[in-house]
Amino acid sequence: MFKKEKSLASECKKVLLSQGTTRTMVKNDMKNFHSLSRFVLSVGPLKSNPAVKHSKTTHFEIEILDAQTRKQICIVDKVAQTSTIHDVKQKFHKACPKWQPSCIGLQLECGGPFLKDYITIQSVAASSIVTLYFTDLGPQVNWTTVFLTEYTGPLLIYLLFYLRPPYIYDMKESSRRMRHPVVHLACFCHCLHYIRYILETVFVHKVSSGHTPLKNLIKGCAFYWGFTSWIAYYINHPRYTPPSFGNRQITVSAISFLICEAGNHFINVILSHPNHTGNNACFPSPNYNPFTWMFFLVSCPNYTYEIGSWISFTVMTQTLPVGIFTLLMSIQMSLWAQKKHKIYLKKFNSYMYRKSAMIPFIL
């Protein structure tokens, strides 16, 4: 019994000694870890190797097909996300030099609208491969050339009929008959109208940098030049009959014509202001100028004044060609005004109270 108790006591001492040694080892380890952490904190954060940044630039591949035959014309590769349709046209021109960028029309689907030059590829791309359909738009002309050509022609044609009647009419009859004062006034008003057009095209209007087919220029010139020849022939004819109500009719209509011309000019100046052009445009509001108060009633007062000018010119000259021209211009401008009126209603929330597009309370 005594030996057994002695052996148990020795075993207990061994266990206690082992526990004490482990405790001292743990304490020593804790001290070492604590000192190591303090050392690391004193030194500062460990500097990791800078990670190499790989620039991931997504490029698109543009497949251009013929809109009629659906055959592939070329593939424009390495097109960046920020590239526009204009950039694609430039690359397409380099691949196929026979087509100028202004003659290239690109569509997302056959029969769809042509994509504007400012549209980005990223906005129309559904995947890394984009299919566009090509249409040859034919010869193109910029808008400034179109407007200047359409307006310069009537100015010169009317002056030709006014200054050289012996070369157009019967020489004896034209030299024998005295011209009525309204003929001279009509020439002044007609020239003033188209001179204003030309000056505003050069100095006032912000003409789009885009192009239009050459056939549109031919149509516009045929319309303006043809009607001007018809109008000038009748007004400057030696047998021209003056207005029925004489000077009163001429004076009132001439004053009305000048008022409408002035109003049209001031409205065009306001519309050309930077706040009223571009994507962030705001609807123009009337100012101290009384001619701008028409904005309270209609959304397109420039068309209102334009039609007013031609109605006044019709009353002043009292000729059938001017009346027909005024009627056709009124129909065309009413269509333009209604189209713009719908755009204004969608774009400007504070615009809803304006009810008319061109004619107050009527249209």
Side-chain angles (χ1 to χ4, degrees):
M1 290 291 292
F2 181 74
K3 289 181 178 179
K4 290 181 178 179
E5 291 176 357
K6 190 174 181 180
S7 60
L8 290 170
S10 62
E11 288 177 2
C12 290
K13 285 181 180 180
K14 290 180 180 179
V15 170
L16 291 173
L17 289 171
S18 63
Q19 290 179 353
T21 54
T22 55
R23 287 177 180 176
T24 56
M25 289 175 65
V26 170
K27 288 181 179 180
N28 292 331
D29 291 337
M30 291 295 293
K31 288 181 179 179
N32 293 332
F33 178 76
H34 182 67
S35 61
L36 178 64
S37 62
R38 291 184 65 183
F39 173 75
V40 171
L41 291 174
S42 64
V43 172
L46 295 176
K47 293 182 179 180
S48 59
N49 293 328
V52 179
K53 294 183 179 180
H54 299 281
S55 60
K56 297 181 179 180
T57 305
T58 304
H59 290 85
F60 294 96
E61 184 178 289
I62 311 297
E63 181 187 22
I64 300 180
L65 307 180
D66 191 296
Q68 295 180 350
T69 62
R70 307 293 180 92
K71 293 182 179 180
Q72 187 184 94
I73 299 176
C74 70
I75 294 178
V76 180
D77 56 354
K78 295 182 180 180
V79 178
Q81 292 180 346
T82 56
S83 297
T84 61
I85 297 296
H86 178 72
D87 299 329
V88 175
K89 289 181 179 180
Q90 295 291 338
K91 293 186 177 182
F92 180 43
H93 170 62
K94 291 182 180 179
C96 303
K98 65 178 180 179
W99 286 303
Q100 296 294 326
S102 60
C103 301
I104 299 173
L106 298 177
Q107 304 162 288
L108 278 175
E109 56 184 10
C110 292
F114 291 106
L115 298 174
K116 302 293 184 182
D117 287 348
Y118 58 81
I119 295 178
T120 59
I121 295 299
Q122 187 178 8
S123 62
V124 298
S127 63
S128 60
I129 300 177
V130 182
T131 301
L132 298 179
Y133 295 92
F134 161 74
T135 301
D136 187 2
L137 300 178
Q140 301 288 301
V141 185
N142 62 65
W143 283 107
T144 303
T145 304
V146 171
F147 294 142
L148 292 178
T149 306
E150 288 180 350
Y151 303 151
T152 305
L155 177 63
L156 298 178
I157 290 173
Y158 199 99
L159 288 175
L160 176 64
F161 279 86
Y162 176 77
L163 297 175
R164 291 289 183 264
Y167 296 94
I168 301 170
Y169 311 103
D170 183 74
M171 186 176 295
K172 293 182 180 180
E173 190 175 11
S174 59
S175 60
R176 185 171 58 250
R177 288 178 176 269
M178 293 294 295
R179 289 183 175 183
H180 193 275
V182 71
V183 176
H184 306 292
L185 182 62
C187 180
F188 169 78
C189 292
H190 191 275
C191 294
L192 175 66
H193 180 78
Y194 283 101
I195 289 174
R196 178 183 63 82
Y197 264 172
I198 295 171
L199 294 178
E200 287 179 353
T201 301
V202 177
F203 299 106
V204 177
H205 292 302
K206 298 182 182 297
V207 182
S208 173
S209 59
H211 295 74
T212 186
L214 180 61
K215 62 181 180 181
N216 290 341
L217 172 63
I218 297 175
K219 290 180 182 178
C221 290
F223 178 78
Y224 283 103
W225 295 15
F227 263 103
T228 300
S229 301
W230 192 21
I231 292 170
Y233 179 82
Y234 268 79
I235 296 177
N236 295 283
H237 199 282
R239 297 182 183 180
Y240 168 73
T241 304
S244 302
F245 296 95
N247 293 333
R248 182 180 299 179
Q249 179 179 344
I250 297 171
T251 304
V252 173
S253 56
I255 294 174
S256 176
F257 177 87
L258 295 176
I259 291 174
C260 291
E261 286 293 304
N264 201 341
H265 171 71
F266 288 119
I267 294 298
N268 289 332
V269 171
I270 288 182
L271 293 177
S272 65
H273 194 273
N275 293 336
H276 309 134
T277 57
N279 296 328
N280 299 324
C282 60
F283 190 81
S285 57
N287 54 25
Y288 62 89
N289 190 335
F291 292 101
T292 64
W293 297 349
M294 188 66 72
F295 277 116
F296 285 120
L297 302 175
V298 296
S299 58
C300 301
N302 52 329
Y303 295 150
T304 307
Y305 284 122
E306 179 75 12
I307 297 304
S309 295
W310 283 111
I311 292 176
S312 301
F313 193 76
T314 303
V315 175
M316 181 177 62
T317 58
Q318 195 174 310
T319 54
L320 179 63
V322 182
I324 296 176
F325 180 78
T326 302
L327 177 62
L328 296 178
M329 290 291 291
S330 301
I331 295 173
Q332 181 61 68
M333 290 188 178
S334 65
L335 297 176
W336 291 340
Q338 289 177 358
K339 185 178 179 179
K340 288 186 177 182
H341 186 69
K342 292 180 181 179
I343 296 175
Y344 291 152
L345 290 175
K346 294 179 181 179
K347 192 172 182 180
F348 304 107
N349 295 328
S350 61
Y351 180 76
M352 298 301 295
Y353 66 91
R354 296 182 175 89
K355 302 296 182 181
S356 302
M358 187 178 72
I359 302 176
F361 313 111
I362 298 176
L363 179 62

